[in-house]
Amino acid sequence: MADTDWPGCGKSLKGVILDMCGVLYDSGEGGGVAIPGSIEAVKKLKASDLQLRFCTNETQLNREAFVDKLKRLGFDISVSEVFSPAPAAVAVLKERGFRPHLLVYDGLLPEFDSVDKTNPNCVVIGDAAEKFTYQNLNEAFRVLIGLEKPVLFSLGGGRYYKEGDGLALDVGAYMKALEYACDLKAEVVGKPSPTFFQSVLNDMGLQAHEALMIGDDLVNDVGGAQNCGMKGVQVRTGKYRPSDERHSTVTADGTVDDLAQAVDMILKQRH
Amino acid sequence: MADTDWPGCGKSLKGVILDMCGVLYDSGEGGGVAIPGSIEAVKKLKASDLQLRFCTNETQLNREAFVDKLKRLGFDISVSEVFSPAPAAVAVLKERGFRPHLLVYDGLLPEFDSVDKTNPNCVVIGDAAEKFTYQNLNEAFRVLIGLEKPVLFSLGGGRYYKEGDGLALDVGAYMKALEYACDLKAEVVGKPSPTFFQSVLNDMGLQAHEALMIGDDLVNDVGGAQNCGMKGVQVRTGKYRPSDERHSTVTADGTVDDLAQAVDMILKQRH
């Protein structure tokens, strides 16, 4: 990447937000594997004067178990630094009096322990992989179609992610299936929802132009951050595909080989 | 229904096209059950001077097995009168040199016996119900995302259908899931594709204004037929829902309780 392509926030930059899967690690058997250089890159950011948060649409595990997994891979990360859709959804459900029918990974269920789930008046779906059976999706559909005003919350809206040696359908595909079947528009909780990105900025006490998002998902990470006024950089790891660099609607402020390169560029510009 | 709501094609009417599931019978355990009055209504149409065809998005069985099922329910129907998506898709595949990866009911596979399926360069999905596992949908997704120019054919585009005592997701929902994941637009073979309706009109040798479509699916049966210049009548059986009668984009030319009532209205107008 030519230096001239790098977003020119340089010394005004005060905070960095990192996507996790596909940037820090690749998922797969046994919890996945760290992407080369990413553990060291996180260390460098933590040693700098920049604020750092992690923003994930991860919904396979609750945050505690998820952070434990990342720690086992070698990352220095704490739960309070991680923003994920389930806690954001719980806040929305309670605020608006919704009782969800849940179609999510079993590992995510503890996040919803405090929510009334009797006599559901909405559906919440997250990435559920093998749990996306016809029967389970049909059950969610029947709950929605039986409601006078069906409401669907989707924990993220991703198209697909990288899983081991291939790509895997993400929750967004199933969200679209239910949207079409029920003739409704889902409310996305998580990236690329502006509300979600804003909650991360609020936590850092920063304005959008002071923050940079780094992710492997052009639309949800880069485009989502840009829609909030942040700069967005894409890494060529994870679900990155060469065609992303000629996408019809989203153009990254910069594209780098991996997180290690991104962090080197960021820190170089500050000195 | 007031007489004034009935489509005024009366004596100019030369042919009737009937949807099958939800009009003739309700699907369910053991092949389903005939809707009261529908066997007699088909007999009355056959005894009239009107041409009659059956137009279904049925893709659970090949036509022979499907017609056998209908005969067992008591209907006087032959294979040559039935138009369904799989044979139409086979014609398209051969004409355009496509080798499909198939995600369809096992019972439909014989329809594709004559098609080369090695080294797939497109995906064909039909209603597959229990076969719509995460693994199978992901496999179809991976074929598509691996193609330079991914092409998806969908055997129908229905949202849902009535199955026994409830509603069940139809192929259209899964079509939307793959469309979104692969950022493409599927080609629908079957209703509501104008090509499909036109092939039925051609077989009868009729102009669109001489034909009437009767179905339970407001968008795919009624709206699809109307888009081709036919009149479209909805029955209040099958997947009909009261909200269909205040749909934002499709208004039926008539709405009747069931096929028996529709046929009585048709025949009454002709005398």
Side-chain angles (χ1 to χ4, degrees):
Chain A
M1 193 192 72
D3 275 13
T4 48
D5 288 344
W6 187 254
C9 36
K11 288 181 177 157
S12 68
L13 187 69
K14 294 185 180 167
V16 174
I17 306 173
L18 299 184
D19 175 37
M20 302 180 81
C21 182
V23 175
L24 302 183
Y25 71 101
D26 280 321
S27 63
E29 300 287 320
V33 56
I35 292 171
S38 60
I39 294 171
E40 192 59 29
V42 170
K43 269 188 202 148
K44 285 184 189 171
L45 283 175
K46 287 211 159 182
S48 77
D49 58 344
L50 292 165
Q51 293 208 54
L52 179 63
R53 295 293 186 277
F54 301 90
C55 189
T56 176
N57 274 4
E58 161 66 39
T59 53
Q60 296 196 2
L61 299 168
N62 62 57
R63 273 169 307 171
E64 284 72 17
F66 180 57
V67 167
D68 281 348
K69 186 179 87 166
L70 272 288
K71 282 179 177 166
R72 281 197 301 273
L73 291 177
F75 291 97
D76 173 20
I77 292 175
S78 63
V79 169
S80 63
E81 296 166 322
V82 175
F83 287 74
S84 65
V90 168
V92 170
L93 294 170
K94 289 182 176 177
E95 188 184 315
R96 292 163 59 187
F98 279 118
R99 301 178 305 275
H101 169 89
L102 298 171
L103 176 48
V104 300
Y105 264 109
D106 291 338
L108 195 70
L109 291 171
E111 296 269 16
F112 294 88
D113 276 351
S114 66
V115 179
D116 180 9
K117 291 173 283 284
T118 56
N119 188 20
N121 59 0
C122 76
V123 167
V124 174
I125 60 166
D127 173 34
E130 306 296 342
K131 276 189 77 181
F132 277 132
T133 61
Y134 181 72
Q135 195 181 338
N136 284 346
L137 197 66
N138 214 36
E139 200 180 331
F141 161 69
R142 286 185 178 193
V143 169
L144 285 170
I145 206 80
L147 295 170
E148 194 178 346
K149 192 175 157 29
V151 175
L152 172 65
F153 293 99
S154 184
L155 304 181
R159 294 166 190 265
Y160 52 83
Y161 53 87
K162 201 168 171 234
E163 174 85 22
D165 61 345
L167 299 175
L169 285 169
D170 199 358
V171 62
Y174 290 89
M175 171 187 83
K176 288 291 169 184
L178 291 175
E179 282 189 349
Y180 180 71
C182 303
D183 198 15
L184 58 77
K185 183 92 185 124
E187 298 186 34
V188 175
V189 182
K191 297 177 288 184
S193 156
T195 316
F196 190 62
F197 281 116
Q198 192 57 51
S199 69
V200 186
L201 289 171
N202 292 349
D203 190 62
M204 295 194 287
L206 297 184
Q207 303 286 308
H209 69 271
E210 299 170 320
L212 174 71
M213 171 82 204
I214 302 175
D216 64 329
D217 185 319
L218 185 71
V219 171
N220 289 299
D221 293 330
V222 174
Q226 289 172 334
N227 284 341
C228 293
M230 285 184 262
K231 300 283 187 181
V233 164
Q234 188 181 22
V235 287
R236 294 194 185 93
T237 52
K239 78 177 71 168
Y240 163 86
R241 302 175 76 217
S243 59
D244 289 344
E245 296 190 47
R246 37 179 207 277
H247 192 272
S248 59
T249 56
V250 181
T251 304
D253 293 294
T255 310
V256 291
D257 289 343
D258 52 25
L259 180 63
Q261 191 184 16
V263 170
D264 285 346
M265 303 283 284
I266 290 168
L267 298 179
K268 190 173 133 193
Q269 276 204 328
R270 301 182 64 77
H271 298 294
Chain B
M1 193 195 71
D3 275 12
T4 48
D5 289 342
W6 187 254
C9 36
K11 288 180 178 157
S12 69
L13 187 70
K14 293 184 180 168
V16 174
I17 305 173
L18 299 184
D19 175 38
M20 301 179 82
C21 183
V23 175
L24 301 184
Y25 70 101
D26 281 320
S27 63
E29 300 288 319
V33 55
I35 291 171
S38 60
I39 294 171
E40 191 60 31
V42 170
K43 269 188 202 148
K44 285 184 189 170
L45 282 175
K46 288 212 160 182
S48 77
D49 58 345
L50 292 165
Q51 293 207 56
L52 178 63
R53 295 292 184 279
F54 302 90
C55 189
T56 176
N57 274 5
E58 160 66 39
T59 53
Q60 297 196 2
L61 299 168
N62 62 56
R63 273 169 307 173
E64 284 70 18
F66 179 58
V67 167
D68 281 349
K69 186 179 88 167
L70 272 288
K71 282 179 177 166
R72 282 197 300 276
L73 291 178
F75 292 97
D76 173 20
I77 292 175
S78 64
V79 169
S80 63
E81 296 166 321
V82 174
F83 287 75
S84 65
V90 167
V92 170
L93 294 169
K94 289 182 174 176
E95 188 183 313
R96 291 164 57 188
F98 280 118
R99 302 178 305 275
H101 169 90
L102 298 171
L103 176 49
V104 301
Y105 263 108
D106 290 339
L108 196 70
L109 290 171
E111 297 268 17
F112 293 88
D113 276 349
S114 66
V115 179
D116 180 8
K117 291 173 284 283
T118 57
N119 188 20
N121 59 0
C122 75
V123 167
V124 174
I125 60 167
D127 173 35
E130 306 297 340
K131 276 190 77 181
F132 276 133
T133 61
Y134 180 73
Q135 195 181 336
N136 283 346
L137 197 66
N138 214 37
E139 200 181 331
F141 161 69
R142 286 184 177 193
V143 169
L144 285 170
I145 206 81
L147 294 170
E148 194 178 344
K149 194 176 156 30
V151 175
L152 172 65
F153 294 99
S154 184
L155 304 181
R159 296 167 189 264
Y160 53 83
Y161 52 87
K162 200 167 173 235
E163 174 84 23
D165 60 347
L167 299 175
L169 284 169
D170 200 357
V171 63
Y174 290 89
M175 172 187 82
K176 288 291 169 184
L178 291 175
E179 282 189 348
Y180 179 71
C182 303
D183 198 15
L184 58 77
K185 182 94 185 121
E187 298 186 33
V188 174
V189 182
K191 297 178 287 184
S193 157
T195 316
F196 190 64
F197 282 116
Q198 192 57 52
S199 70
V200 186
L201 290 171
N202 291 350
D203 190 64
M204 294 194 287
L206 297 184
Q207 304 286 308
H209 69 270
E210 298 170 322
L212 172 73
M213 172 81 205
I214 302 175
D216 65 330
D217 185 319
L218 185 70
V219 171
N220 288 300
D221 294 329
V222 174
Q226 288 173 334
N227 284 340
C228 291
M230 286 185 262
K231 300 283 187 182
V233 163
Q234 189 181 21
V235 288
R236 295 194 186 94
T237 52
K239 77 177 70 168
Y240 163 86
R241 303 175 76 215
S243 59
D244 289 345
E245 295 189 48
R246 39 179 205 276
H247 192 273
S248 58
T249 56
V250 181
T251 305
D253 293 294
T255 309
V256 291
D257 288 343
D258 52 26
L259 180 63
Q261 190 184 18
V263 170
D264 284 346
M265 305 282 285
I266 291 167
L267 298 180
K268 190 173 134 194
Q269 276 203 327
R270 300 181 65 76
H271 297 293

